[in-house]
Structure formats: C-alpha cells, structure tokens
Amino acid sequence: MLNCGRIKYTNDLPVYAAFDEGVIAYPGKLHADVPSRLNEMMRDGLLDVGPISAFAYAQDADRYVLLPDLCIGARDEVISVVLVSNVPPALLDGAEIAVTPESATGRNLLRVLLERRYSVHAKFVESSDTAAAALSGQPALLIGDSAIDAMLTLPVENVYDLGTLWHDWTGEQTVFAVWVARREVYERDPDAVRACMHALTDAYTWARGNMPAVIALAQGIIARPAGFYENYYAKLNFTFHSAAQRGLAAYCRELLAIGAIEALPPIVPEAIGVSS
C-alpha cells in the first residue's frame, strides 16, 4: 500500500471528500499536512504519491512522474493565496514581507509578480503567524484558510489576490499543486500508482455531482458565511487540462527568468494509462 499525501486545507475537499464520506475507498495510506511538509516528505521518500507544490515539482522534476487529470489551481481569482498590504504591490520595493513557510508556490508566485510585473524587489521574512503580521500592518503573504479569513475580514483595498494579479498580467490560469509519483515508485509498481489516480478521479467525479455534501463537510471543518464555499470551489480548478498546463508552463518560464529554477520542467503529464 502506497503512502500518499493530502493537503490539509479545505481547498482540496472536492478531491478527497468521497473518501472522508466513506463513499469510495482509497487504495493507500493518506497523510494530511501543509504543502511545504508534503514537499519535504515526497522529496525524502516518506510519501509515494500525492499533491506537491507546483514550485517543488518545477524545482526537482527529474525525481517525479507528473500525473494526469488533477491539479489545484484557479482560472483567475483564487481567494486562498493573497498578499495583504497597506500599499499597492508596485510600491513594495525594499519592503519586508512576512511569508509563511507552508507554501513554496505562493511565495515564488509573489516574487515573480513583484520582480517581473512590478519591477520591485522585496525581502521575504519567514513568520509562523503571517495573519498577525498582516494585522499589525506589515505586508504579508497569507495561504490557505488564513488567506480566506483575510479576504472575509480585512479591507478589500488591502488584500491582493495573487491568482487575479497573475491572470490580469498573463491571461493564464494559476496552478498551485500537481499530483506526482516518485519515479522509482512508479517504475516499481505502476499499477498501484494507477489505482490511486483512478480512485482520486472517481472521487472528484463523485464530488462534482454531490457538491452540497462537500460544502457541508467544509462547513463542519471551518464554518464560513452562507454561499462562501459554493463561490470558492466554483473559482478553483481541479482539472489538469491544457489551459492549466499552459498556465503552469508560463509560471515555470517566469521562475526561470528570475533564477528560481535551473531548467524548464516537463509540463505534459506522463502517459501512465489513466485518462480523464
């Protein structure tokens, strides 16, 4: 049985709710954690299959088989990856920005936007409580459920959605996480990897037909205003189709331009015998 990752934010419930509800059995052991920890566990061989940050994949693509069908991204507004700042991004040259250690893709997306779109260079300072930094007036990058809290509570003029900033600039979608298998795991047991991906795509298909159940599950984890999760999940994209692949390719080209990665990774998923 493979060791598999799962992001512990509410953003991935449309992929995993069928397992939580007991509708579909997952053929592996699931470990939920923040994105950066999942990246580390995958790199260190503690996980076999699962979602990792798009940046972690771009940085170390040779280690992994890029799997088809699923991703976590957004067509434009993403809601759960935001910069909180009292001044516009173009005025952040030389500023110290508090960043969470939980996410690599969001941090590097912000760096791309600042350096390539706005031609400013900021200093990123890791903080264990970026929400508190934001409330104190320091520019801060918030990820996941703390970003959602900021979108719902802070003045709208101080909250910059990174998915929107990226889409307005490039016209492309964002991709924050992709599903991968460690290459040696796939080469050793491709059937087990395929079984995991079949279960995940079946679970997502179930979720698309049962969104009220997914939203009830999310409300039970973190209660939000009525209608929030309906809007949130409608904005996210979980399908690794050609538009998402094009967005990921654009992101990787910008990472290469700022020197964050050494080479462009493969973007088209490998043919492993699973199709959507």
Side-chain angles (χ1 to χ4, degrees):
M1 183 173 286
L2 299 183
N3 293 316
C4 305
R6 170 183 179 174
I7 298 170
K8 74 172 187 178
Y9 302 147
T10 52
N11 65 358
D12 73 354
L13 276 180
V15 178
Y16 289 93
F19 309 126
D20 295 339
E21 294 289 277
V23 178
I24 295 173
Y26 187 71
K29 297 178 182 176
L30 282 172
H31 172 81
D33 222 315
V34 299
S36 61
R37 180 58 185 149
L38 295 179
N39 296 344
E40 293 171 358
M41 294 180 71
M42 190 71 73
R43 182 195 62 208
D44 295 343
L46 300 176
L47 293 176
D48 301 315
V49 176
I52 63 171
S53 299
F55 178 75
Y57 169 71
Q59 199 177 33
D60 224 0
D62 289 347
R63 289 174 177 262
Y64 305 120
V65 172
L66 182 62
L67 298 173
D69 296 334
L70 293 175
C71 69
I72 298 177
R75 295 168 188 83
D76 41 60
E77 185 183 30
V78 63
I79 297 177
S80 52
V81 185
V82 302
L83 167 69
V84 178
S85 173
N86 294 331
V87 300
L91 301 181
L92 286 173
D93 196 32
E96 288 193 354
I97 300 177
V99 295
T100 172
E102 294 181 4
S103 170
T105 296
R107 179 193 304 200
N108 282 282
L109 177 58
L110 177 58
R111 186 182 162 201
V112 162
L113 288 164
L114 292 177
E115 295 185 18
R116 298 283 290 168
R117 177 174 178 178
Y118 299 107
S119 299
V120 300
H121 290 74
K123 181 180 180 182
F124 290 175
V125 181
E126 286 202 355
S127 168
S128 59
D129 194 346
T130 49
L135 288 173
S136 74
Q138 181 182 7
L141 174 65
L142 305 186
I143 305 289
D145 294 308
S146 64
I148 294 171
D149 291 338
M151 291 287 280
L152 293 174
T153 58
L154 296 178
V156 64
E157 63 271 21
N158 292 353
V159 181
Y160 298 87
D161 184 290
L162 264 59
T164 300
L165 294 180
W166 169 261
H167 180 75
D168 289 349
W169 180 44
T170 65
E172 302 289 357
Q173 300 189 7
T174 51
V175 173
F176 290 95
V178 293
W179 267 259
V180 302
R182 285 192 295 114
R183 184 161 296 282
E184 64 266 33
V185 171
Y186 177 70
E187 291 174 351
R188 185 180 69 233
D189 196 350
D191 288 343
V193 174
R194 279 193 285 270
C196 289
M197 290 309 294
H198 277 302
L200 288 164
T201 54
D202 286 350
Y204 180 52
T205 298
W206 176 86
R208 292 177 67 179
N210 294 274
M211 283 309 291
V214 176
I215 289 163
L217 194 59
Q219 289 285 11
I221 297 171
I222 300 179
R224 301 288 186 191
F228 171 81
Y229 283 112
E230 286 86 342
N231 178 58
Y232 178 45
Y233 291 139
K235 289 182 177 298
L236 295 181
N237 171 49
F238 297 96
T239 306
F240 197 33
H241 45 42
S242 58
Q245 293 171 28
R246 194 172 62 241
L248 178 59
Y251 173 63
C252 291
R253 288 195 297 272
E254 295 301 332
L255 291 176
L256 187 66
I258 64 172
I261 59 175
E262 296 180 352
L264 292 175
I267 297 302
V268 177
E270 297 197 29
I272 67 165
V274 176
S275 60
S276 49

